[in-house]
Amino acid sequence: MEIPCPMRIATETMGGRWRPGILWRLMDGPMRYGELRRGMPWISEKILIRHLRDLEAAGLILRTDHGTQPPQVDYRLTEAGQTLGPVLTAMAAWGAGRSAAGAERLGA
């Protein structure tokens, strides 16, 4: 029996180009779909919806439909999603360091 690689499990569940950013934004609390969309204008609507569904299926976020007209839907991290807080914080710190290092190299 093959033992699954823990890094593969982690990257397949929450990895990819956009999923960490979605999870990062939800760390501050529930957000409506429109808030997420405005906060990530570089993601197409189709891709954002697909990733939200994938993250929900993985048990990392919870989608709540309030059953109103117009539709009001919000997303929040589940307990499992909240456990990613330290990982996402470390990734953001690393990204900020890379951004600062890049600015220094360019003389900014």
Side-chain angles (χ1 to χ4, degrees):
M1 180 171 100
E2 184 179 333
I3 299 172
C5 172
M7 186 58 75
R8 180 177 174 196
I9 293 167
T11 56
E12 285 179 356
T13 303
M14 60 81 60
R17 189 172 184 181
W18 307 120
R19 289 180 193 173
I22 294 167
L23 294 166
W24 174 252
R25 280 163 180 76
L26 292 174
M27 280 181 49
D28 290 334
M31 294 182 81
R32 293 184 63 181
Y33 173 79
E35 292 175 291
L36 283 167
R37 182 78 181 99
R38 283 188 299 277
M40 303 179 78
W42 49 86
I43 274 187
S44 73
E45 188 169 349
K46 176 182 173 182
I47 297 298
L48 178 57
I49 290 169
R50 185 174 73 200
H51 285 311
L52 288 168
R53 287 181 182 154
D54 291 345
L55 291 167
E56 183 180 17
L60 298 178
I61 65 171
L62 181 66
R63 178 184 187 269
T64 303
D65 184 343
H66 297 279
T68 60
Q69 280 298 334
Q72 181 181 349
V73 175
D74 60 50
Y75 296 88
R76 65 181 164 91
L77 294 177
T78 61
E79 280 189 43
Q82 290 173 9
T83 65
L84 290 169
V87 174
L88 296 168
T89 299
M91 289 174 69
W94 185 84
R98 294 283 296 171
S99 177
E104 287 176 16
R105 281 196 304 272
L106 295 174

